[in-house]
Amino acid sequence: MEGLLDPAIRDLLGRLGGFQLATTEFLRVTNQLYPQKVFTRIMPELANNCQTKSGIPVHLQLLGSDPIAMADNAAKAAELGAIGIDLNFGCPAKTVNKHGGGALLLKEPTKVYQIINQVRQAVPKEIPVTAKLRLGWDDPELIYETAPAAESAGANWLTIHARTRVDGYKHPARWEWLAKAKQQLNIDIVANGDIKTADDYFRCLEISECHSVMIGRGIVYNPGLALEIEQALQGKVSTGRLVDWPRILQMIDEYHQFLIEKGLGKHAVSRTKQWIRELAKHYIEADVLFEQIKKEKCSVTAGKFIQNAI
Ligand SMILES: Cc1cc2nc3c(=O)[nH]c(=O)nc-3n(C[C@H](O)[C@H](O)[C@H](O)COP(=O)(O)O)c2cc1C
């Protein structure tokens, strides 16, 4: 997730357990072939056999509307060792859509086909090429065109965010549409949208008739969610939070230190604050910490507040 699930958070979350796969934030492709450093910046895991330090496999996500440029960059990523390429057709950001990318492409199933097809041809067969779709732009029935187009273009599986572009992020996810879309496909759909609890996971699988899910915002504010789901699958009844606040504080501290070491300066503070604000949706203690540092711009002082809370 762009601006949220960066390499450091991927690693920190991965250590808690419960994940099978992660995808990078999107790399936006216009008409140029990126140099190696751009790929390694967005996906440092390339230097670690495409795994987080905690061992979670990571796929690279590309976003763009030019089939040739997408294919060239996918081929370059494959040369650099990428183990999976995911193509973003779901981003609702106005700047992205204005340039013809992300969810706007859903209006053109033929273009979706061309992009996936070119990328599929550009990377070796053993590397999965997958697509992240929404149900449509304003009409969920569009999925009946885009999903089969993606499959016939050679996508190995589809992750479908069960909302339209017009639904944004607030409309309740329409999991039932995934079951309808599935009837037309031979490849798997990974269900996405509104998985906030282990109960949501089970309800989503039942309604969507899918076998796996991708968690979005839920994992940012409840890092233990994948673990909760894993334990529920093993029949373990969990009472209370699986990841306690002291552990979360350690993670926040490590994240903040990592960003400082990366030379992010005041951006280190803003990104750390952003995560703390998200965590406050699940951890009341995060709200207290956020109140303490919300006006802080200096990374050293912010770090002291975090240290004091530990
Ligand atoms: C801030 C933000 C950034 C996101 N960035 C990406 C992204 O880079 N790639 C992607 O495929 N989806 C991205 N998404 C969408 C999520 O992956 C997911 O599809 C969406 O949030 C729905 O799932 P949820 O209801 O569980 O959050 C982003 C969502 C948010 C809120």
Side-chain angles (χ1 to χ4, degrees), residues 177-249:
W177 280 88
L178 305 182
K180 295 186 207 176
K182 233 176 144 247
Q183 286 168 8
Q184 296 186 306
L185 301 174
N186 293 307
I187 54 173
D188 279 338
I189 295 179
V190 176
N192 169 241
D194 271 351
I195 313 286
K196 293 170 291 204
T197 63
D199 277 354
D200 291 338
Y201 167 82
F202 288 109
R203 275 192 311 116
C204 173
L205 290 196
E206 194 186 334
I207 295 170
S208 68
E209 297 174 20
C210 293
H211 302 296
S212 54
V213 305
M214 181 197 137
I215 306 176
R217 291 162 294 176
I219 204 69
V220 182
Y221 58 77
N222 177 12
L225 179 54
L227 197 60
E228 283 170 24
I229 292 171
E230 189 177 75
Q231 300 228 341
L233 280 168
Q234 291 165 0
K236 294 182 191 155
V237 183
S238 50
T239 48
R241 301 189 296 215
L242 280 185
V243 183
D244 61 12
W245 176 241
R247 176 85 192 264
I248 296 287
L249 266 176

Side-chain angles (χ1 to χ4, degrees), residues 76-88:
K76 173 104 184 195
E79 265 170 50
L80 295 171
I83 56 164
I85 306 286
D86 189 47
L87 305 172
N88 184 319

Side-chain angles (χ1 to χ4, degrees), residues 1-2 26 61 132 161 163 169 192 194 214 216-217:
M1 289 169 67
E2 214 262 331
F26 65 73
Q61 188 177 74
K132 171 88 182 304
H161 177 183
R163 294 184 174 95
Y169 290 104
N192 169 241
D194 271 351
M214 181 197 137
R217 291 162 294 176

